Amino acid sequence: MNPTKTADSRREQILREAARLFAERGFHGVGVDEIGAAVGISGPGLYRHFAGKDAMLAELLVGISGRLLTAGKMRVAEAAGPAEALDALIRGHIDFAIDDRPLITLHDRELDRLRDSDRKLVRQLQRQYVEEWVAVVRQVHPAAGENEVRAAVHAVFGLLNSTPHIGERGGLPGRTVMAALLHRLALGALGALDGLDSTGNWRVTY
């Protein structure tokens, strides 16, 4: 057995359980001992992997921002054209929104707890991720201006990242159904960028 791989797996397990507990009960509502119990090791044993809860939170939030950016760039590079690239970006973000709901909650609640350097890094990675989307969306919807496209991209992120707030009683629909619904909603929202009249003004309807 590869000891490095085993250590990496244990770190991933710790982070997964820490994210779940932090999201459920808040960063200050969870102790190191509880995280350790969730993964079957003593609380002090966690310090072989992380310096403390602050380090776990930083790795969770910086890590997911970096992974989204890396995966987004890869999807764009591998796509045959702008429409396929946009579809891949949407599907990739949907996977995140459905499978990593605790991280969305953590970002919303706990980002300000990070050290300034870590928080700035998260923001930098997020801006780069947004620009990947903006560049692709502008190719798919060339009539829209850059400011409108950027606003639409942020709106789509808000739509997709709403998953932690959906279905708190009965839970989300099945994963396949939910993914398909989010995909249609995202495409529909971005499709609104084509709503320009002949004078270049927006056709506003309510």
Side-chain angles (χ1 to χ4, degrees), residues 72-90 132-133 135-141:
K73 287 183 173 180
M74 182 181 68
R75 290 185 175 96
V76 172
E78 293 177 348
E84 184 177 312
L86 179 57
D87 185 75
L89 285 172
I90 291 172
E132 286 292 318
W133 277 68
V136 171
V137 173
R138 291 195 72 191
Q139 294 178 69
V140 177
H141 302 282

Side-chain angles (χ1 to χ4, degrees), residues 8-81:
D8 288 345
S9 298
R10 178 49 62 95
R11 281 177 63 86
E12 291 169 3
Q13 184 184 18
I14 292 169
L15 287 172
R16 183 170 58 252
E17 291 302 316
R20 180 182 63 81
L21 290 169
F22 291 158
E24 288 177 356
R25 294 161 50 191
F27 181 75
H28 286 306
V30 179
V32 171
D33 288 343
E34 294 168 276
I35 298 171
V39 296
I41 62 177
S42 66
L46 288 179
Y47 292 106
R48 292 197 297 270
H49 302 277
F50 296 97
K53 289 198 306 177
D54 289 336
M56 294 179 206
L57 181 63
E59 186 157 337
L60 283 165
L61 295 182
V62 173
I64 190 55
S65 298
R67 290 195 298 276
L68 281 171
L69 175 59
T70 298
K73 287 183 173 180
M74 182 181 68
R75 290 185 175 96
V76 172
E78 293 177 348

Side-chain angles (χ1 to χ4, degrees), residues 90-109:
I90 291 172
R91 292 184 186 279
H93 200 98
I94 287 171
D95 287 341
F96 158 68
I98 293 177
D99 298 334
D100 291 304
R101 296 167 69 196
L103 292 179
I104 298 174
T105 300
L106 271 188
H107 178 275
D108 291 346
R109 291 180 184 170

Side-chain angles (χ1 to χ4, degrees), residues 119-137:
R119 188 168 58 253
K120 288 177 181 177
L121 179 54
V122 169
R123 293 301 193 194
Q124 178 185 0
L125 293 168
Q126 289 175 338
R127 285 193 296 270
Q128 294 178 47
Y129 182 58
V130 168
E131 293 312 309
E132 286 292 318
W133 277 68
V134 168
V136 171
V137 173

